[in-house]
Amino acid sequence: MSRKIEFKTGEYYHIYNRGVDKRDIFIDKKDYLRFLKSLKVFNQVQPVESIHLFDKREMIREETKSLYRDLVSDSVPLVDIICYNLLPNHYHLLVKQRVNNGVSKFMHKVGIGYSYYFNYRCNRSGSLFQGTYKARHISRNEYLLYLSAYINANSQIHGIKDASEWCWSSYSEYIGKFKYDLIKPRIITDQFNSRGE
């Protein structure tokens, strides 16, 4: 099935998907962390072996966590992640395409990698996501600002938890609670005079 949207370098997109049959795609903290790691490690033009093999070979511990930062920082990113929110049965991403076919390549790596991990962990097979991820082009700055707020507060919108307490979204980075070095929020934050605003 061909996609109706053509991804253009330098443009912003809202990417989202949910579990097949609305099933949960994140069961516990380990799943959320694995998806976040996928967003970080797979976001590069260079090929990346599976995270499982990478972790196993390097036996990642505190002293080698910087290896991920070095690996990713020296690479050319496929997209800039502006904000994200991971909820039990779906996710939202706001991204800017950095290279030709960046969104498609990034989402392919993340989708395949996370599905393989989840199916192996849960001893299941078959599709994890409800079809191909959905994408909407963001053509106006007003819509970009609206979507950043919608995505960051999505847990609250769905009645799960107050946005400031939901640790699986970029909101905590936006308000300065912690920094994971995953997102590029300045396209949003530079449009305001202060964090409070």
Side-chain angles (χ1 to χ4, degrees):
M1 177 199 290
S2 75
R3 187 174 289 285
K4 293 178 183 175
I5 190 168
E6 181 183 334
F7 297 114
K8 296 179 182 173
T9 300
E11 295 289 315
Y12 295 91
Y13 298 91
H14 177 201
I15 308 293
Y16 54 100
N17 208 347
R18 65 181 175 188
V20 67
D21 296 327
K22 301 181 184 177
R23 70 160 294 138
D24 284 353
I25 55 175
F26 305 110
I27 295 172
D28 58 25
K29 179 180 177 179
K30 186 175 180 178
D31 295 339
Y32 288 105
L33 289 172
R34 177 54 177 246
F35 195 84
L36 290 175
K37 187 186 283 188
S38 296
L39 293 178
K40 192 166 188 174
V41 173
F42 290 137
N43 188 16
Q44 56 183 301
V45 171
Q46 298 81 352
V48 176
E49 60 187 302
S50 76
I51 293 174
H52 173 72
L53 292 175
F54 190 86
D55 282 350
K56 189 174 181 181
R57 189 184 75 238
E58 300 299 328
M59 295 180 15
I60 301 298
R61 302 246 188 270
E62 266 322 295
E63 66 273 8
T64 58
K65 280 186 182 174
S66 65
L67 189 59
Y68 275 122
R69 286 192 293 275
D70 295 343
L71 171 71
V72 176
S73 64
D74 291 342
S75 66
V76 176
L78 296 164
V79 300
D80 284 338
I81 301 171
I82 311 305
C83 61
Y84 66 87
N85 206 329
L86 314 181
L87 291 102
N89 72 348
H90 69 285
Y91 66 81
H92 292 273
L93 305 172
L94 177 55
V95 301
K96 176 183 180 182
Q97 181 165 283
R98 293 280 304 269
V99 299
N100 289 342
N101 298 316
V103 171
S104 298
K105 289 175 183 174
F106 175 62
M107 293 310 299
H108 178 75
K109 290 179 183 183
V110 170
I112 295 290
Y114 185 76
S115 293
Y116 180 81
Y117 152 82
F118 189 89
N119 283 350
Y120 180 80
R121 181 171 188 234
C122 296
N123 195 25
R124 70 179 296 274
S125 61
S127 297
L128 175 61
F129 296 108
Q130 185 175 299
T132 307
Y133 61 90
K134 315 306 180 275
R136 297 191 82 182
H137 178 245
I138 301 163
S139 59
R140 294 181 353 264
N141 187 60
E142 296 81 9
Y143 190 43
L144 182 71
L145 293 175
Y146 167 79
L147 271 177
S148 69
Y150 173 79
I151 290 171
N152 276 316
N154 204 253
S155 55
Q156 191 170 351
I157 291 166
H158 286 283
I160 295 173
K161 225 175 208 190
D162 184 278
S164 63
E165 295 177 17
W166 184 247
C167 56
W168 309 118
S169 83
S170 53
Y171 184 73
S172 294
E173 287 190 63
Y174 271 76
I175 62 171
K177 210 171 181 180
F178 77 90
K179 188 158 176 54
Y180 183 60
D181 293 326
L182 177 63
I183 62 169
K184 306 265 189 220
R186 293 192 61 178
I187 185 66
I188 305 299
T189 57
D190 283 358
Q191 296 187 53
F192 297 93
N193 295 319
S194 68
R195 248 184 240 281
E197 187 184 346

